[in-house]
């Protein structure tokens, strides 16, 4: 169904049109979910980089499958400014499983789950597939960039939900220390992850969040992501940030145009 705006569309027409487009994109992008499902997905997509001839400005033209990187209208990350306070479904994060493998895939350090835990957001259900790190943070809050950002990628029936956790230098975090101590220094195949690595140890106690509709921040940049960026950062040891940065001094995509997207902010809880 097409919505034609004769003159000025009202808000509900607009919202309906946006939702229809989004549903279509989610169906269309089903194939694009595969890189995130496969443990070695990123490694097989190593034609892109964070600078130079294959850097972010070029991603959209590197491969037909990556066209959304430049042609998309709902790209991530963004600078999160002036969010609208709204009643938002509480996040019910029930993570108890440990990641099976850890990999240095040439773009980041990533930990994968063969069978992941569950995230409930309202009546929607997602399974945790993997988490990985960016240095510096990809999302900004009111123009402020953070030292790092962790992304917890969950897959649902009609798209992805990614929880972004901002990271700042401060008190050491035992879980991040364990990851940095065991991460492969060289790019290669996944290896078994230390069984002591508990993803829950990387969550802040305050779970207030901002939600917006966006994309993967790496090729193919599919616009199938419900972003949940927690507004309270976690603290990690400055030395551990430096150890990660030694492998990946810069693996953050530049912020993208927000255009007319809403950002909804949950209340603190
Ligand atoms: Zn990411």
């Amino acid at each position: 169904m097409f919505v034609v705006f004769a003159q000025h569309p009202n808000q509900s027409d607009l919202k309906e049109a946006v939702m229809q487009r989004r549903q279509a994109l989610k169906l269309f992008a089903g194939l694009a979910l595969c890189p995130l499902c496969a443990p070695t997905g990123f490694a097989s997509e190593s034609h892109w980089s964070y600078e130079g001839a294959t850097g972010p400005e070029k991603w959209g033209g590197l491969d037909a499958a990556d066209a959304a990187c430049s042609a998309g209208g709902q790209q991530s990350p963004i600078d999160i400014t002036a969010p609208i306070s709204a009643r938002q479904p509480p996040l019910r994060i029930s993570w108890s499983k440990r990641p099976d493998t850890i990999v240095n895939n040439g773009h980041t350090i990533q930990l994968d789950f063969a069978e992941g835990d569950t995230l409930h957001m309202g009546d929607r259900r997602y399974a945790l597939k993997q988490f990985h790190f960016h240095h510096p943070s990809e999302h900004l809050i009111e123009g402020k960039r953070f030292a790092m950002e962790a992304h917890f990628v969950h897959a649902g029936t009609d798209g992805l939900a990614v929880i972004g956790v901002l990271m700042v230098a401060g008190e050491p975090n035992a879980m991040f220390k364990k990851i940095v101590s065991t991460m492969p220094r060289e790019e290669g195949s996944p290896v078994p992850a230390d069984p002591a690595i508990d993803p829950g140890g990387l969550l802040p106690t305050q779970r207030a969040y901002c939600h917006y509709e966006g994309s993967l921040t790496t090729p193919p940049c599919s616009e199938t992501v419900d972003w949940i960026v927690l507004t309270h950062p976690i603290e990690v040891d400055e030395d551990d940030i430096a150890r990660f940065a030694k492998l990946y001094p810069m693996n953050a995509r530049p912020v993208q145009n927000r255009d007319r997207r809403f950002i909804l902010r949950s209340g603190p809880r």
Side-chain angles (χ1 to χ4, degrees):
M1 173 184 162
F2 291 93
V3 179
V4 177
F5 301 128
Q7 287 183 331
H8 297 292
N10 65 33
Q11 277 304 93
S12 65
D13 282 347
L14 250 185
K15 192 149 193 205
E16 190 185 340
V18 167
M19 283 176 69
Q20 284 175 357
R21 175 173 173 273
R22 201 168 164 76
Q23 280 309 112
L25 281 168
K26 279 180 174 171
L27 291 171
F28 177 71
L31 286 173
L33 298 183
C34 293
L36 283 162
C37 305
T40 54
F42 277 120
S44 63
E45 298 286 331
S46 56
H47 58 284
W48 55 273
S49 66
Y50 285 99
E51 55 189 6
T54 54
E57 282 69 36
K58 307 286 196 302
W59 287 355
L62 294 176
D63 187 302
D66 301 337
C69 299
S70 56
Q74 298 193 95
Q75 290 290 293
S76 296
I78 58 170
D79 184 3
I80 294 172
T81 57
I84 301 164
S85 285
R87 191 184 295 271
Q88 292 274 77
L91 298 180
R92 284 191 288 132
I93 299 170
S94 27
W95 294 342
S96 58
K97 300 194 179 84
R98 304 290 187 256
D100 298 279
T101 55
I102 184 168
V103 63
N104 179 338
N105 62 24
H107 302 299
T108 187
I109 298 296
Q110 181 171 313
L111 293 104
D112 289 280
F113 298 81
E115 194 187 325
D117 280 311
T118 310
L119 164 71
H120 289 273
M121 196 165 55
D123 56 4
R124 281 187 286 176
R125 191 172 173 279
Y126 300 89
L128 179 59
K129 294 292 180 188
Q130 49 104 330
F131 63 99
H132 61 265
F133 300 92
H134 297 272
H135 175 272
S137 74
E138 294 203 300
H139 286 98
L140 276 58
I141 294 189
E142 305 293 348
K144 182 182 187 319
R145 196 180 286 280
F146 296 78
M148 289 188 65
E149 183 171 343
H151 287 160
F152 297 87
V153 180
H154 299 74
T157 50
D158 65 347
L160 304 175
V162 183
I163 297 180
V165 175
L166 301 162
M167 301 161 69
V168 297
E171 288 294 314
N173 175 294
M175 218 45 68
F176 188 57
K177 191 169 285 298
K178 177 68 77 180
I179 292 167
V180 165
S181 307
T182 56
M183 63 187 179
R185 299 294 186 275
E186 306 288 335
E187 181 181 346
S189 298
V191 296
D194 188 306
I197 295 171
D198 172 7
L202 294 167
L203 286 171
T205 45
Q206 276 273 8
R207 303 281 168 82
Y209 67 92
C210 286
H211 169 242
Y212 78 96
E213 295 184 338
S215 74
L216 303 179
T217 65
T218 54
C221 307
S222 316
E223 296 184 331
T224 56
V225 180
D226 278 296
W227 274 100
I228 298 154
V229 179
L230 303 187
T231 49
H232 292 261
I234 60 164
E235 293 187 3
V236 298
D237 194 334
E238 195 167 9
D239 289 346
D240 293 335
I241 295 174
R243 289 158 80 189
F244 183 90
K246 207 168 169 187
L247 301 189
Y248 289 103
M250 166 55 198
N251 68 341
R253 186 188 194 191
V255 290
Q256 306 292 302
N257 287 332
R258 176 175 166 178
D259 292 325
R260 300 172 69 182
R261 281 177 284 177
F262 294 109
I263 302 173
L264 300 179
R265 186 188 199 293
S266 72
R269 66 176 64 86

